[in-house]
Every structure is written in structure tokens, then in C-alpha cells.
Amino acid sequence: MIQLSQRLQAVADLAEDAEVVADVGTDHGYIPLFLIACGKAGKAIAMDINEGPLLRAREHIRQYNQHERIETRLSDGLRELRPGEAQTIVIAGMGGSLMKRILTEGEATAHAADCLVLQPQSELPMFRHFLVEHGYRILREDMVYEDGKFYSMMAVKWKESDTEDSLQARLAESGAEDGLQAMTEADFRYGPLLLAQKHPILHKYLLRQKEQKQKILESLGQNARRDVSERRAQIREELEEIEVLLKL
């Protein structure tokens, strides 16, 4: 079976069993190959906006003799995928703004899927706000540390009604101790289920954030050329929040 990086393995682990899985921005085609090999998908559609990545994916598909079960498709986001054609959709390794655009432009297809596995590389607070505000419920979250970088990923499903109740139920399942309260800004920044699970990699990430913000605060204290009081107050507030989360 094909060996995945830690990041891609975590993404694959979040995927639900499906008759057809679609991988948007497939690059080398590793995710479809793995999901086929481990029996999580019967067929797969490997999609990319550029022909180059699709050529690489086709080479790997031929290498593993999976050309009858994996189709490659040139597509900008979800444009060439019909609603309901794939039960699981994977979108990984791109910026949060681009992923937001893909889900917005391919809304009908995204809404029809049973599971979307999303791994935004940036702008996570904004992206989580987008998901919740547009009726997606967060089913599962994971986080890995690989090659000096932190990666967050999540499995979500569109459900316009009872989004809040569904999230609260997931928080309860994940071990949130008291009351299932509405999402806070900390939840949007760091991930509600990661926080509820007391995820060990998130703990490591919080320690890194604490160290970086302390250095920023120190450098601001040495800046006598302009008024940085507002920025310093913001950093102190963020540090206080991190300290609270670390104590949890």
C-alpha cells in the first residue's frame, strides 16, 4: 500500500467510507490511491486545475494498476463534479480563502456530499467562521506536526438546520466537561473539537504560539519610534487566552 506523509495520512483517516471519493487538488493522486487500497472507497475521481499534477497522478495510478477505478479530471475546484457524484470530497493543501471560494462556487456539490475532508493551510479562524455561518457542522478534527509545521484538518457535513446542536453534541462526545456552550473566538482560532479533546499537538501548537507572542511583545517594548500600545494590548490579550487554554 502507498505510504502517506503524516499530514495526508491524517486527512485520509478523516474520510468516511464511500462508493466514490473525489480529491480536489489531487497533485500526485496519493489520497485516492490510498483510499482505494485500504477499502474506504470503491472508485475515485482525482481532480486538479492544472494538467501537470494530473499527469503525475496518472503515472502513479498506472504504477499501482488502478486506472479502472480512479478517473482523472481537469477541474477548477468542484466545477466538473456533479452534485451527488461523490459521497466523500477531499480538499487539502490549499489556502483558506481558496477553499472558501471552491465551496462557495461548488455549493450544490458540496452540500450533496456525505462528508467533506478539509485541510486549509492558512486563515483557519476565518475558514471555521465561514463553515459555521454557512450551515456546515464540524464532525471531527485532527492536527499533526510534520517537518516543523502544524497542520489542522477537519471532516464536515452541510446541514443547514441544527448546526449548533450538532456541534454541541460533538463537543460532548469529545469530552467537553461543562455545558455545551456556543463557539468562542478561541474555538474559531484553534478548533472546538481539538480544544475539547485536549489534543496533544494543539498543546504543542499553543506553546509555540505563546513563545512567538512573547517575542513579539518584547520587540514591541523596544520600539520607541511609534505608539504600539494598542498592538501590545492585543498581544497581551492573546497571551492571556493561550495561558487559560494551556491550563485546561
Side-chain angles (χ1 to χ4, degrees):
M1 185 183 295
I2 192 167
Q3 295 296 310
L4 298 178
S5 66
Q6 274 185 278
R7 177 180 69 89
L8 291 183
Q9 184 64 61
V11 169
D13 288 345
L14 287 176
E16 295 181 358
D17 291 356
E19 180 181 344
V20 179
V21 61
D23 183 27
V24 180
T26 194
D27 198 13
H28 292 78
Y30 291 148
I31 290 284
L33 283 165
F34 180 85
L35 294 177
I36 291 285
C38 71
K40 274 194 160 185
K43 294 184 178 180
I45 304 169
M47 306 166 66
D48 208 282
I49 191 173
N50 295 310
E51 189 64 44
L54 288 181
L55 289 173
R56 291 193 294 271
R58 288 177 193 130
E59 289 175 7
H60 290 119
I61 291 166
R62 284 194 296 269
Q63 178 184 345
Y64 287 90
N65 196 31
Q66 293 292 353
H67 54 278
E68 292 186 358
R69 299 176 71 183
I70 303 178
E71 173 191 348
T72 58
R73 191 176 293 181
L74 193 67
S75 176
D76 180 0
L78 295 168
R79 286 184 183 178
E80 302 305 320
L81 188 69
R82 299 187 304 277
E85 190 175 5
Q87 295 76 47
T88 293
I89 297 173
V90 176
I91 312 176
M94 59 188 74
S97 291
L98 176 55
M99 199 171 290
K100 175 183 173 182
R101 178 182 71 79
I102 288 172
L103 292 176
T104 300
E105 293 180 354
E107 185 178 85
T109 299
H111 286 183
D114 294 330
C115 174
L116 294 102
V117 181
L118 310 170
Q119 190 263 302
Q121 300 276 61
S122 62
E123 303 167 288
L124 269 84
M126 175 279 294
F127 188 67
R128 288 192 183 98
H129 270 286
F130 164 78
L131 291 174
V132 171
E133 290 164 7
H134 287 78
Y136 290 94
R137 55 175 173 167
I138 301 172
L139 306 174
R140 296 176 297 282
E141 286 188 296
D142 200 0
M143 191 176 200
V144 300
Y145 179 70
E146 183 177 43
D147 296 332
K149 295 181 180 180
F150 293 92
Y151 299 98
S152 292
M153 56 279 300
M154 62 203 77
V156 310
K157 177 180 173 61
W158 182 75
K159 178 91 170 156
E160 190 171 29
S161 62
D162 79 345
T163 301
E164 189 67 20
D165 291 342
S166 298
L167 175 61
Q168 304 310 329
R170 295 292 171 180
L171 287 168
E173 291 169 7
S174 300
E177 290 180 2
D178 30 91
L180 302 168
Q181 304 170 5
M183 281 181 71
T184 65
E185 283 306 310
D187 291 321
F188 287 114
R189 268 193 286 275
Y190 303 113
L193 301 183
L194 294 175
L195 287 167
Q197 295 162 4
K198 299 178 174 59
H199 199 289
I201 303 300
L202 177 61
H203 184 268
K204 187 174 182 177
Y205 177 73
L206 289 169
L207 289 173
R208 174 75 64 84
Q209 287 291 298
K210 177 182 175 180
E211 180 183 357
Q212 290 177 345
K213 291 183 188 302
Q214 285 174 334
K215 288 180 179 178
I216 292 172
L217 196 60
E218 184 179 341
S219 67
L220 288 173
Q222 297 168 354
N223 191 332
R225 295 185 179 179
R226 59 191 178 92
D227 183 9
V228 293
S229 56
E230 187 174 330
R231 177 63 172 152
R232 289 175 68 183
Q234 178 190 348
I235 296 297
R236 285 198 184 98
E237 186 177 321
E238 292 171 359
L239 275 168
E240 287 174 6
E241 177 184 70
I242 290 172
E243 290 285 5
V244 170
L245 296 176
L246 285 170
K247 288 176 182 177
L248 293 176

